[in-house]
Each structure stands twice: as C-alpha cells, then as structure tokens.
Amino acid sequence: MRLDVKILRFNPEAEARPQWRAYTVEAQPTDRVLDVLHEVKWRHDGSLAFRRSCAHGICGSDAMMINGRNRLACKVLVRDLKPPIVVEPMRGFPVVKDLVVSMEGFFEKYRKIKPYLINDEPPPETERLQSPADREQFEDTSKCILCGACTTSCPSFWANSAYLGPAAIVQAHRFLMDSRDHGAAQRLPALNEASGVWRCRTIFNCTEACPRGINVTKAIGDVKKLLVNLFSRPRRNP
Ligand code: SF4
Ligand code: F3S
Ligand code: FES
C-alpha cells in the first residue's frame, strides 16, 4: 500500500524553526511506524534523524509523538493508525535533530532520586531475601524502560520544566517500595520539594502514554501518601 507520512523536521544548527515534510512510502498494514521511518530514511531522505535500538519495546529509545500521542515507534502498527501518519518529537525536551530530543534534563532528574538500592547493612551470605508479597509492591514500577513518554505528555511538566516528572517518580517508587531498600530518607527530600511530586495535578496523561502499561498516576499517589505519612507523624520531644 501507498502510505502518506508527515514528519516534523528540524535541524537547530541550520534552521530557524521546525518544518513539516511529507513523504509517500510503500508499506504493509503490519509494518510498524519504526519500519515506516526506516523506509523514509533509507529510500527517501537519509538525513532524517531518529533514535532506535532494540525494535522490540524494551530499550525505550524510540518514544515519539505519533498521531498526537506519545508512543514507541516499534510498538505501533500502521493498520492501527488513521492515515496520514503524523510523527513529531516528544514535547518539552529540546530537539537535537528531527525526532531526536535531548534527554539530559530527564536523566538529571532520574539521578536526583538515587535510582539504586541503598542498604548499608552487611550483605548476607546469599541474597537479600524478600517475600513474594513484598516483591509485588513494586512489580508495576519495575517495568519502566525510561522512555520519557510519560513526562513529555504531562501538562504540569510543559508548564514548568523544573518538575521532577512522572518518570523520575516512578523510579523513586520502585525503590521506596522495595523492602530491601533503606534509602527513603535520602530520596524523599527531592520528592517533597517545590518541583517534586506536589506539582502533579493528577491529570493522568502519563498513565495513558506509558507503553509499558504502568499505572503511573497511582505510583505518584503512593509516593504522595508516603510523604504525608512521614511528615504528619507526631514529633518526639528531644
Ligand atoms: Fe516510559 Fe512508562 Fe517509564 Fe514513563 S513510566 S518512562 S512512559 S516506561
Ligand atoms: Fe502529569 Fe501524570 Fe500527574 S500527567 S499531572 S504526572 S498524573
Ligand atoms: Fe527499543 Fe523501540 S527501539 S523500544
């Protein structure tokens, strides 16, 4: 089939503003949008820039806006979209070129929540044991692939880019809910500051955008509850 594709192209080093470019390519209904982008790049315009790696929804590198919604290009089939296919970079991150956005700020926020197990107790001889019920507490948030689709679909983030954003909070949740982790006191200040979880207005775009089906809004709510419980505890007299 012949398929019309519109792509928002931009080379900040050479152009003043982004411009739409239209292409007509050969495609199958079972092709993924990633295949369509390859078709454009390999047969029509080799200068098109986009990120991809695994092509199987695991690495999170090809998140972009497709027909108005953030998705992974490797997980969306042509037959599931109404033509023309319209592709734009994720909103709210600086464009490096075409569909490639800078993830620097995104990973800076990720590092802020200390995304690793914190436990200074001497390690046991074998593994640190955990019950299936305790493991279940962070099953959902452990599926995050750091694609950025949630953060760049969040109106609170668009309004204020200082907001930590749903992806960083999901990662914080993954460790805060881990019974083996003792790092809550080190993580919670960043989550509780003005640019932390309280900037979330429960808009749910993040949950709708997540290609891993994570209930992002619920995870943010869990972290808010944790903060409320922590800071509303009666203080002991010194
Ligand atoms: Fe991507 Fe979902 Fe992780 Fe957000 S929570 S970064 S949308 S995988
Ligand atoms: Fe934004 Fe999601 Fe909260 S869209 S406002 S982070 S529920
Ligand atoms: Fe890895 Fe799409 S290329 S998630």
Side-chain angles (χ1 to χ4, degrees):
M1 65 187 270
R2 306 273 286 166
L3 180 71
D4 291 326
V5 190
K6 276 175 68 184
I7 304 176
L8 193 61
R9 305 280 312 263
F10 185 34
N11 179 357
E13 288 180 3
E15 295 161 343
R17 64 186 68 83
Q19 291 178 37
W20 289 102
R21 304 263 170 82
Y23 306 89
T24 302
V25 299
E26 278 300 323
Q28 300 298 320
T30 50
D31 280 346
R32 303 158 304 175
V33 172
L34 182 61
D35 300 315
V36 172
L37 293 174
H38 280 146
E39 184 70 12
V40 172
K41 186 172 178 68
W42 293 338
R43 294 184 197 275
H44 294 258
D45 187 345
S47 70
L48 176 65
F50 53 94
R51 284 196 185 101
R52 80 285 195 200
S53 181
C54 70
H56 287 89
I58 298 299
C59 72
S61 61
D62 62 343
M64 55 188 74
M65 191 177 270
I66 300 169
N67 286 20
R69 202 182 132 193
N70 277 355
R71 314 172 202 231
L72 298 176
C74 65
K75 291 245 314 191
V76 185
L77 298 184
V78 166
R79 70 178 179 204
D80 295 329
L81 296 170
K82 199 169 158 228
I85 292 180
V86 180
V87 188
E88 303 164 62
M90 292 192 287
R91 288 191 183 151
F93 290 168
V95 172
V96 176
K97 187 165 185 274
D98 299 333
L99 304 171
V100 177
V101 291
S102 169
M103 304 289 282
E104 287 301 316
F106 179 79
F107 284 110
E108 199 179 303
K109 287 168 184 164
Y110 172 58
R111 287 190 289 270
K112 247 180 129 173
I113 59 89
K114 304 185 191 297
Y116 39 83
L117 193 86
I118 299 175
N119 186 333
D120 291 337
E121 286 177 1
E125 275 185 23
T126 56
E127 68 272 28
R128 294 183 197 273
L129 291 176
Q130 184 167 56
S131 71
D134 282 345
R135 175 64 180 79
E136 187 59 31
Q137 299 303 311
F138 60 95
E139 170 61 21
D140 198 32
T141 45
S142 72
K143 294 185 295 192
C144 176
I145 54 173
L146 289 167
C147 67
C150 53
T151 296
T152 55
S153 64
C154 170
S156 294
F157 174 73
W158 297 337
N160 186 338
S161 62
Y163 173 33
L164 208 47
I169 302 170
V170 160
Q171 288 292 330
H173 182 281
R174 182 257 169 268
F175 290 99
L176 288 169
M177 300 298 157
D178 189 330
S179 58
R180 300 163 300 181
D181 185 88
H182 296 171
Q186 296 176 50
R187 286 193 194 95
L188 290 176
L191 292 156
N192 198 34
E193 63 189 27
S195 55
V197 292
W198 308 111
R199 287 226 167 257
C200 167
R201 302 287 189 263
T202 326
I203 297 171
F204 276 89
N205 282 16
C206 51
T207 301
E208 281 174 26
C210 179
R212 301 287 289 167
I214 298 169
N215 193 336
V216 180
T217 311
K218 178 187 175 297
I220 297 172
D222 289 346
V223 176
K224 284 178 178 171
K225 271 189 227 150
L226 209 64
L227 285 167
V228 168
N229 289 338
L230 192 78
F231 292 110
S232 60
R233 267 188 215 151
R235 289 199 183 154
R236 288 196 193 135
N237 289 330

